[in-house]
Amino acid sequence: MITLYQFPISHFCEKVRWTLAYKKLEHTLVDLLPGFHAKPMMKLSGHHSVPVLTDTTKAIANSSDILNYLDRHYPEPSLMPTDPSLKQEVLEWERFADKEIGPQVRKICYHTLLDHPKRVREIFCLGQPWYKALLIKLIFPKLAKKMRVLMQINEESVAESKIRLDAALQRLSLHLKDKKYLAGNQFSRADLSVASLLAPFVRPSNYGFERYGKTGYDWSAPYPAALQNYIDQHSEILAWVSALYQKHR
Ligand SMILES: N[C@@H](CCC(=O)N[C@@H](CS)C(=O)NCC(=O)O)C(=O)O
């Protein structure tokens, strides 16, 4: 029995949710409350971050290690080309996305959204009982401060993240100039990883919030202008992400 320990909002968790859905693997999702996740995850996997996946008794942390595990144990339908050099290319794009896209997107989003506490609280509390939502409301100012320190979210670091992400997206655009997919001519882990990690900029309706129904959280609501204006500069590559969500998610 597969269980995924996750944050509903997490784009690294989205990589795993999408892979599980793509491979049609039955699984249970366990939603954790950010800030209260670290101890249980450390105990379970030896790492404080989510995603963590358990299958029977084995606990695996780190999205790319989880995807490796799923590819090995549940190979079909495959997210990996058979050609060894294309395989290598796929893994390189995934590493690139994990390093150059995921952390920058998170930093850029939180830099603006942490100043909109209600919006962040709603996302954090998806799947949580009312008393945990109340607890988050009470401690949010402290939690937001801690997040800024831990993730080094400040004006200078966000400006640097934007430069780094702009360069990454430019590299992607050039590569995709006359291609549909990043490696070869089939959808692979490379496309899935890049699209998942850019998804918070696109807010696709099938991101993984469907199961919460009418929770009062509106993922389609526009972002504050400061964030949306930055996102709009990348509409071309984000249209490619939307298309992948429509076709493969
Ligand atoms: N390299 C890790 C990154 C995972 C990650 O950054 N997870 C975030 C949520 S998006 C997290 O758990 N943050 C809280 C923490 O690290 O304790 C992966 O690919 O899984």
Side-chain angles (χ1 to χ4, degrees), residues 120-136:
V120 179
R121 283 194 333 251
E122 280 171 354
I123 322 173
F124 278 11
C125 295
L126 281 167
Q128 299 297 328
W130 66 268
Y131 55 88
K132 289 204 176 160
L134 182 64
L135 177 66
I136 284 289

Side-chain angles (χ1 to χ4, degrees), residues 11 14-15 92 101 108 128 137 146 159 229 235:
H11 55 350
E14 172 67 359
K15 278 178 66 183
E92 271 162 30
I101 297 178
I108 293 165
Q128 299 297 328
K137 189 170 182 180
K146 200 168 165 192
N229 291 343
S235 52

